[in-house]
Amino acid sequence: MKAFLPATTRTLSAVTLASLLSTVASAAFAETSPLSATPNLHQVKKKASKPTPSAPPALPQTRADSAYDALTTGTPTYNSVVANRSNSDIYGPGEITVYGTPHRNALVGNSTLSADAIYTLNKNTLDEAANLIPGVNSANTGGTRNERTILVRGFNRFQVPLMVDGIRIYLPADNRLDYGRFLTPDIAEIQVAKGYASVLDGPDAMGGMVNLVTRKPHKELEGELRGGSMLGHDGGYSGYNVFGLIGTKHEKWYAQANFAINNVDHTDLSSNYDPTPSQGKGKRLLTDSEDWRVNFKVGYTPNATDEYTINYTRQSGEKRAPFSVTDSVSAQKDWTWPAWDLDSLSLTSRTKLGDRLTLRSRLYRNTFYNLLRSFDNADLNTQTKAKAFNSYYNDTAWGGNVRLDAELSRQDTLGIAFYGRRDEHSENEQVFPSGAYQPTVSSVEESYSIAGENVFRFLPNLDLTTGVSYDWRVLDKAQGYSGGIIHYPTRNRGAPNGQARLSWRPDKVSELHISVSDRVRFPTLFERFSTRFGGAVSNPGLRPERAQNYELGGSHTFGNIEVSGALFYSHLTDLIASFPVQYNGTTVSQSRNINSGNYAGAEISLAIPVRKDLLIGGNYTYTHQDVSAPGSSPRYRPTDVPSHKAFAYVEWSPIKKLRFVPNVAISSNRWTMNSMGTTYFRTGHNVNISARVDYQITPNVQIGANASNLLDQNYQMVGGYPEQGRNFYVNLKISG
């Protein structure tokens, strides 16, 4: 792999790293005190899902008052909300570091979402599920791409990396991930690091990280089968989904296979929708899609601390794109995606080299294949005009990371990590009416990061975590096509990052923390070079953007009532945004480093166990965004984030075997832009009332039903694209 740094700097860095590793290893092996039998309590660095009350306490991982577990992902830091992780279905090697408050009773955590919550609240795709977490909101890109996305405290999908089992899902050309393509039935936990993401988990986490952790078996033989049908507002059929899993766990190995299918025939508009020439009442045109996903994993666990796994995931999707209801059909693009396919093969290892030294590694290969087809007309059946084309993307990524965690003393722990990745992108286009293929163009870019994180325990209840990293990109090749192959100028960039977090636990039921994080994010090839089929102009000199994130937060348990919250503020510089400009008399967009921005807000989560059979909970988020973009006309507005967002639920079991979960999601208006890119306006206010009921027929068989948007509200999150009206879902679940 090529190095971005000068030769002298590379030599110095290598010598420094070797010296540091040697010092760490020497310190780690210098003392051989036995492990204590008493774990430390209170702070939870990751995990906020529901506990298994009957499980025995987990075995301690380190001595009392030791900071070592603060850097050992996959084990509880102080007091785990999963009492015995050996009985958990969470795939430990796939987790990242997420600081959060343990909610022992809450259905929805403040930083994570469990598989039980995803199933109970009937969220079948990532965008729907993540929207339940405070500080996170779902959005629709609108336009011809028909993509669902999420934002974390105002930061978009480019600024918050998406990972599956700790491996980044990244599309080197544009990284325009469609979160609606990621299914949730095989997900054990959604983790969201908001603002402060550990430098050890990789680069580009300017606004945080989102990680999907898949399931793994926890019994000698286990299986699950689910099937359900989606129904429209009048009870008519609108789609189905199926999920199946089989797994086995033994003393020294485990294996699992699972699949999921989500088939949407169509969605129904609200009965309150007023028809337009491009969209009538009832069925929303061109909303059909099909996605499937499979996952296979095998793990070898020779002892209580070491684990070696092979993990393979493949998902495939196809979709069409509904028209804007405000524009004429003839003015819109007739696009479909017959293929939106991802796969990932990874090898992971965790080896405990001594009482206070753990080595982790991960190697992976990811691929992405995408086909975008443009047709002559809305019937999507001919390609004879100049507007028609077939655009093919093929991406391959090879990458890996290695991480060493060491206890330097009982109060001092150090983690060091190196991350490397090579992304290869190729694309070509078939043009009409000739049907000829343009030459294939390609790009190659490498990403690197070296990071260190230290946890120092001043007192048994007071920790300071500090982290630094240096990220750099090496652009080997970047090509485009316009009448011939264009060789874009290549430029390598690097940038430092730093962060710190102070956590204090004054008693067993309280935690207070303050954190600051200064992280950078590099622009994609799309942002620098893409002309977006004539809808944009390139900007090869685009600079990386940076955010300084600050947070003051805490939690407290009043008897059985759990409360947590945070105040957050982010200052963004060299902010990259799609900026409307005039080019040859036409309004197009260009990615630019606009001046700066400030995001601020607050979050609060609450869980009240009223009785053994009755739980009330919810969360609220306030977000304010202000971006300075001198010279923009119209004035630039950050889009897609509601100022106010709330979610509340009641989990009630009036009789044995019956569970009833009414819930409501509320969002205020958000900024969006018209299809011509000339006017900003606010839209999206909605009150989405839903309800879920499940009945346990036998210990292994459950039936359930869900109703969403019971008020049948007609609302849109982006101009011209109304959301689904009232809808229903019925399902059967068999497990054992």
Side-chain angles (χ1 to χ4, degrees):
M1 294 186 291
K2 293 186 178 180
F4 168 66
L5 301 175
T8 54
T9 307
R10 292 200 305 270
T11 303
L12 178 61
S13 299
V15 172
T16 303
L17 179 60
S19 176
L20 184 58
L21 289 174
S22 175
T23 302
V24 169
S26 298
F29 285 114
E31 187 177 346
T32 57
S33 301
L35 300 182
S36 167
T38 306
N40 212 327
L41 301 176
H42 314 314
Q43 178 184 347
V44 172
K45 190 169 184 175
K46 39 183 300 340
K47 288 299 308 152
S49 54
K50 292 186 79 174
T52 305
S54 60
L59 293 175
Q61 299 297 317
T62 183
R63 299 190 309 271
D65 301 335
S66 169
Y68 183 52
D69 272 347
L71 281 175
T72 52
T73 305
T75 61
T77 307
Y78 300 102
N79 187 27
S80 176
V81 294
V82 175
N84 186 354
R85 292 185 66 89
S86 66
N87 288 339
S88 169
D89 64 353
I90 295 173
Y91 176 59
E95 293 179 291
I96 64 171
T97 301
V98 174
Y99 292 87
T101 303
H103 285 282
R104 300 180 180 278
N105 299 302
L107 186 62
V108 177
N110 66 349
S111 298
T112 63
L113 193 68
S114 68
D116 179 58
I118 294 170
Y119 175 77
T120 300
L121 298 167
N122 195 48
K123 305 302 179 184
N124 293 313
T125 58
L126 171 57
D127 59 302
E128 295 175 344
N131 190 57
L132 301 172
I133 299 173
V136 183
N137 74 273
S138 62
N140 181 358
T141 62
T144 54
R145 299 193 66 87
N146 186 28
E147 291 170 336
R148 312 296 293 197
T149 184
I150 65 173
L151 296 96
V152 178
R153 292 181 175 175
F155 291 93
N156 61 36
R157 57 182 169 173
F158 303 113
Q159 300 161 332
V160 179
L162 173 65
M163 311 172 92
V164 176
D165 286 332
I167 296 173
R168 187 176 183 186
I169 306 299
Y170 179 72
L171 310 183
D174 56 23
N175 203 35
R176 292 194 286 192
L177 291 167
D178 185 351
Y179 288 65
R181 310 273 67 81
F182 291 85
L183 307 181
T184 58
D186 69 331
I187 300 302
E189 181 182 53
I190 298 175
Q191 299 179 297
V192 181
K194 296 177 284 189
Y196 190 102
S198 173
V199 292
L200 297 178
D201 288 322
D204 278 349
M206 173 181 168
M209 283 184 174
V210 176
N211 185 39
L212 308 183
V213 187
T214 58
R215 294 168 59 170
K216 80 171 185 180
H218 62 280
K219 296 189 295 185
E220 185 173 351
L221 180 63
E222 63 182 82
E224 183 176 329
L225 182 64
R226 303 182 204 167
S229 179
M230 294 170 269
L231 309 173
H233 65 78
D234 59 355
Y237 171 80
S238 63
Y240 72 90
N241 53 46
V242 177
F243 170 71
L245 175 147
I246 186 168
T248 181
K249 181 182 179 182
H250 300 269
E251 181 182 358
K252 294 191 176 182
W253 66 277
Y254 62 84
Q256 179 181 285
N258 57 260
F259 72 92
I261 301 172
N262 192 57
N263 184 293
V264 178
D265 181 79
H266 69 276
T267 60
D268 283 350
L269 294 168
S270 165
S271 58
N272 299 310
Y273 166 77
D274 294 324
T276 67
S278 57
Q279 173 66 59
K281 293 182 74 69
K283 293 182 179 180
R284 182 71 162 109
L285 302 176
L286 304 175
T287 51
D288 53 312
S289 65
E290 183 174 51
D291 297 275
W292 60 263
R293 172 187 174 95
V294 295
N295 175 255
F296 305 95
K297 57 172 63 75
V298 177
Y300 173 57
T301 53
N303 51 52
T305 59
D306 298 350
E307 186 169 359
Y308 307 90
T309 69
I310 301 175
N311 189 15
Y312 176 74
T313 298
R314 178 170 178 82
Q315 64 183 67
S316 179
E318 57 180 295
K319 63 176 183 176
R320 297 199 285 180
F323 292 138
S324 167
V325 301
T326 57
D327 298 337
S328 65
V329 172
S330 61
Q332 305 192 53
K333 297 176 181 178
D334 307 298
W335 288 5
T336 70
W337 280 261
W340 202 98
D341 303 341
L342 287 165
D343 74 359
S344 177
L345 175 65
S346 65
L347 306 175
T348 67
S349 71
R350 181 181 69 225
T351 305
K352 195 162 187 178
L353 303 178
D355 285 346
R356 297 167 308 248
L357 196 65
T358 300
L359 179 68
R360 306 167 192 276
S361 66
R362 179 185 289 118
L363 296 173
Y364 61 88
R365 176 183 182 270
N366 289 356
T367 67
F368 173 67
Y369 171 71
N370 179 75
L371 170 59
L372 164 60
R373 303 189 69 188
S374 176
F375 290 87
D376 297 337
N377 51 51
D379 293 329
L380 306 176
N381 55 11
T382 60
Q383 291 180 300
T384 60
K385 299 180 180 179
K387 64 178 286 188
F389 62 83
N390 293 325
S391 175
Y392 301 86
Y393 276 18
N394 279 283
D395 298 339
T396 302
W398 298 88
N401 59 278
V402 61
R403 170 174 166 176
L404 184 69
D405 297 332
E407 183 183 23
L408 305 180
S409 71
R410 298 176 67 174
Q411 289 78 37
D412 196 7
T413 302
L414 178 67
I416 299 173
F418 176 78
Y419 169 102
R421 176 176 174 135
R422 177 184 174 90
D423 283 290
E424 300 174 354
H425 167 75
S426 66
E427 62 181 85
N428 69 309
E429 189 172 315
Q430 182 184 17
V431 296
F432 296 93
S434 67
Y437 286 87
Q438 296 175 350
T440 298
V441 296
S442 60
S443 66
V444 178
E445 189 166 36
E446 298 166 9
S447 306
Y448 301 99
S449 178
I450 186 167
E453 186 172 279
N454 179 260
V455 180
F456 190 84
R457 179 159 297 169
F458 295 98
L459 299 170
N461 62 348
L462 182 66
D463 296 340
L464 175 64
T465 303
T466 55
V468 294
S469 69
Y470 188 82
D471 305 338
W472 68 100
R473 291 277 184 100
V474 179
L475 181 57
D476 295 318
K477 180 170 65 172
Q479 295 179 335
Y481 183 86
S482 180
I485 295 179
I486 303 170
H487 297 273
Y488 292 114
T490 59
R491 183 173 181 178
N492 305 329
R493 290 188 182 272
N497 306 276
Q499 56 188 196
R501 186 179 191 273
L502 184 66
S503 175
W504 178 46
R505 299 167 301 284
D507 54 50
K508 294 183 178 181
V509 295
S510 305
E511 188 268 347
L512 295 171
H513 65 267
I514 184 170
S515 68
V516 58
S517 178
D518 186 357
R519 301 292 296 268
V520 73
R521 197 275 293 188
F522 296 100
T524 63
L525 297 173
F526 166 80
E527 291 170 312
R528 284 172 282 178
F529 305 121
S530 176
T531 59
R532 304 168 209 182
F533 301 105
V537 291
S538 62
N539 185 2
L542 198 63
R543 300 184 301 275
E545 57 184 354
R546 180 177 289 276
Q548 294 86 40
N549 302 310
Y550 305 88
E551 179 176 321
L552 174 64
S555 65
H556 184 73
T557 301
F558 301 89
N560 289 326
I561 301 175
E562 301 167 351
V563 181
S564 64
L567 301 173
F568 58 87
Y569 169 76
S570 298
H571 177 66
L572 296 80
T573 53
D574 283 332
L575 180 63
I576 298 173
S578 183
F579 198 85
V581 296
Q582 291 291 317
Y583 181 73
N584 292 336
T586 303
T587 300
V588 296
S589 63
Q590 183 184 52
S591 293
R592 288 186 177 181
N593 293 107
I594 60 181
N595 192 14
S596 62
N598 296 286
Y599 300 168
E603 301 169 4
I604 186 169
S605 298
L606 182 70
I608 308 172
V610 181
R611 300 194 306 263
K612 183 178 179 180
D613 60 357
L614 180 62
L615 171 67
I616 299 174
N619 57 68
Y620 166 78
T621 305
Y622 169 73
T623 307
H624 174 76
Q625 295 176 286
D626 180 45
V627 173
S628 173
S632 63
S633 180
R635 178 187 172 189
Y636 179 82
R637 303 282 191 177
T639 59
D640 302 322
V641 180
S643 300
H644 304 274
K645 171 182 168 285
F647 176 71
Y649 62 89
V650 176
E651 187 176 13
W652 181 39
S653 297
I655 61 174
K656 189 177 180 180
K657 300 183 180 181
L658 180 68
R659 178 170 63 170
F660 179 53
V661 188
N663 58 90
V664 58
I666 304 171
S667 291
S668 67
N669 284 328
R670 63 191 74 192
W671 286 106
T672 186
M673 180 174 262
N674 67 352
S675 59
M676 301 298 294
T678 58
T679 304
Y680 287 97
F681 63 97
R682 291 181 69 83
T683 188
H685 170 69
N686 69 92
V687 178
N688 191 331
I689 298 176
S690 304
R692 170 85 183 202
V693 60
D694 290 304
Y695 184 74
Q696 198 75 36
I697 300 175
T698 72
N700 304 110
V701 180
Q702 182 186 84
I703 57 172
N706 187 85
S708 299
N709 194 3
L710 282 168
L711 298 181
D712 200 25
Q713 288 202 320
N714 178 36
Y715 68 98
Q716 56 184 4
M717 293 192 291
V718 62
Y721 295 86
E723 294 295 308
Q724 188 174 10
R726 183 187 299 117
N727 61 93
F728 304 93
Y729 178 75
V730 293
N731 79 296
L732 173 69
K733 176 182 177 181
I734 303 172
S735 59

